[in-house]
Amino acid sequence: MKRLILSLLIIFCISTVGCGKSSDPTPVNPGGGGTPVNPVPVEKRRPASIGIIGDTSNVVKPVGGGMVLMGGGTDVDAAFKWMIDRSGGGDVVILRATGTAAYNSYVNALGTVNSVETLLINSKELANNDTVAYIIRNAEMVFIAGGDQSDYMNFWKGTKVDKALNYLLTEKKAPVGGTSAGCAILGGFYYSGETGGLTSAAALANPYNTDVTLYNNDFLKAPFLQNVITDQHYLTRGREGRSMVFLGRINKDWKIAAKAIATDERTAVCIDATGKAQVFGDFSSTRAYSYAYFLISDPTKQPEQFTANMPVTWKDGEQAVAVYEIPAAVDGGGSFNVANFNSSEARGGKWYWWSIENGVLTKKLQ
């Protein structure tokens, strides 16, 4: 009997100790009922997010289409406000593969939006994450930061992020923009930069230099830009010659007379839903670097010398490529129709002819 009583006591003690433990660390009211004393909301995990300002819940706002091609350097406030106006005040998402969430407070201060969130997507795994793709698809505005466009190509192309961005561009028609590397990937044709930087001098000396890494419509499908290649930091880094070589390579390799849109630093080309482009930025007559350029190649005008290890010659009577130059303005300088690149619709700028002889670029007013 004593042994039985002892066994029952042991079982009771074990049961009492066991019931005193809980896998739920939340304290309960002394009065019982299981109600937490100080309930703390559990934040839903947001993969790739490195910061958010505003409401984490999704809102649905009417959007107006549009794209921003920003040239890098100092950001253009007016271009962000232009996008925010077309976002309906919804959710803004900043995309990048390196860097910080510094854009959050900057964009949030420029207009009224539901939220601004930065996603750092630096792997294929994150780019194929359903939650990451969901955040992008439900954004009313997306801006792709600067960095290295080969990261965007290597991490995002062919993933759910790629599909989400194309959904915004082609179906939802939310405003999408990018600066520097973020601008570089918005063209149907794009220069990846995967082997390092490419200067105009190197490209003009050898159009088949291994650093001339071009891709043809295998990534983003931005409206009006499928036959376009972009370039940035344009006059600041003297990139006119390399964009001429890009057009020559596209012509030679893919038999397509492509176009180019190039922007200086502190400059942004804002393209509305109809294809009308305006150039926003901080123009000053004492500072040369505040222009945007629209380059039009002609299928009947082929480079005279365009082979590996030889300097480029593309003259055609010094009228190889037609180029329209528009100075930036705070309220939008000039206009250009990128839906058709019709020269007769260009306003507020100057027409030039650009040509190349033995690796040297020449510009001449029309």
Side-chain angles (χ1 to χ4, degrees):
M1 178 61 73
K2 288 183 179 180
R3 182 174 298 176
L4 177 60
I5 293 171
L6 181 61
S7 297
L8 290 172
L9 285 172
I10 292 171
I11 292 170
F12 175 78
C13 290
I14 292 171
S15 175
T16 303
V17 172
C19 291
K21 294 183 179 180
S22 172
S23 59
D24 182 0
T26 307
V28 297
N29 268 337
T35 304
V37 176
N38 296 306
V40 179
V42 179
E43 184 178 337
K44 182 181 179 182
R45 183 171 178 268
R46 299 174 74 86
S49 180
I50 57 172
I52 184 169
I53 293 176
D55 189 356
T56 58
S57 62
N58 180 52
V59 296
V60 177
K61 298 285 187 178
V63 295
M67 288 169 290
V68 168
L69 306 177
M70 198 175 294
T74 303
D75 289 305
V76 181
D77 292 0
F80 278 98
K81 292 177 181 178
W82 185 93
M83 293 184 75
I84 290 170
D85 286 345
R86 284 156 178 77
S87 77
D91 295 311
V92 179
V93 174
I94 310 298
L95 300 181
R96 59 193 322 152
T98 58
T100 70
Y103 268 114
N104 287 7
S105 57
Y106 166 69
V107 175
N108 190 62
L110 292 174
T112 302
V113 296
N114 185 60
S115 68
V116 187
E117 182 172 20
T118 296
L119 301 181
L120 182 70
I121 308 171
N122 56 6
S123 69
K124 285 277 191 182
E125 181 182 6
L126 281 172
N128 273 315
N129 182 278
D130 287 330
T131 303
V132 172
Y134 173 88
I135 293 170
I136 295 170
R137 288 176 67 90
N138 285 280
E140 279 72 41
M141 168 181 158
V142 165
F143 189 77
I144 306 170
D148 183 340
Q149 61 258 40
S150 67
D151 285 340
Y152 300 150
M153 180 186 73
N154 291 328
F155 295 145
W156 303 353
K157 188 168 71 172
T159 68
K160 293 177 180 178
V161 163
D162 182 351
K163 291 179 180 178
L165 285 170
N166 280 318
Y167 165 74
L168 293 183
L169 288 164
T170 64
E171 296 184 50
K172 188 173 181 177
K173 298 190 184 302
V176 175
T179 187
S180 189
C183 175
I185 61 170
L186 285 173
F189 295 101
Y190 62 97
Y191 161 68
S192 68
E194 63 200 270
T195 62
L198 175 70
T199 64
S200 286
L204 289 167
N206 175 13
Y208 283 86
N209 186 306
T210 55
D211 289 332
V212 183
T213 50
L214 300 175
Y215 291 81
N216 180 358
N217 285 279
D218 64 356
F219 196 0
L220 301 182
K221 310 297 182 186
F224 314 119
L225 300 186
Q226 296 312 289
N227 199 35
V228 172
I229 188 167
T230 64
D231 214 340
Q232 315 77 36
H233 303 279
Y234 205 53
L235 296 181
T236 310
R237 301 184 185 179
R239 288 180 168 173
E240 304 100 298
R242 83 173 194 177
S243 62
M244 288 283 286
V245 170
F246 291 163
L247 291 177
R249 280 287 299 269
I250 293 168
N251 198 327
K252 190 87 177 279
D253 297 352
W254 291 306
K255 311 301 180 187
I256 297 172
K259 316 293 193 299
I261 300 175
T263 50
D264 290 337
E265 294 181 355
R266 298 179 296 273
T267 308
V269 174
C270 297
I271 306 168
D272 70 16
T274 70
K276 179 183 176 182
Q278 288 184 283
V279 183
F280 289 84
D282 182 19
F283 174 77
S284 169
S285 59
T286 61
R287 187 184 66 245
Y289 309 124
S290 294
Y291 294 89
Y293 295 86
F294 302 83
L295 287 68
I296 307 173
S297 64
D298 185 333
T300 68
K301 297 180 178 182
Q302 299 293 317
E304 291 87 350
Q305 181 169 284
F306 205 84
T307 56
N309 302 311
M310 296 286 289
V312 174
T313 293
W314 191 3
K315 292 180 64 177
D316 207 285
E318 296 186 324
Q319 297 182 2
V321 173
V323 180
Y324 196 64
E325 175 193 79
I326 298 179
V330 174
D331 58 351
S335 65
F336 195 92
N337 190 346
V338 302
N340 56 25
F341 276 75
N342 189 330
S343 61
S344 66
E345 297 182 40
R347 300 287 186 272
K350 296 178 181 178
W351 280 105
Y352 289 83
W353 289 116
W354 288 7
S355 58
I356 306 166
E357 183 172 14
N358 201 33
V360 177
L361 176 68
T362 299
K363 306 175 183 179
K364 183 176 70 173
L365 270 170
Q366 289 191 21

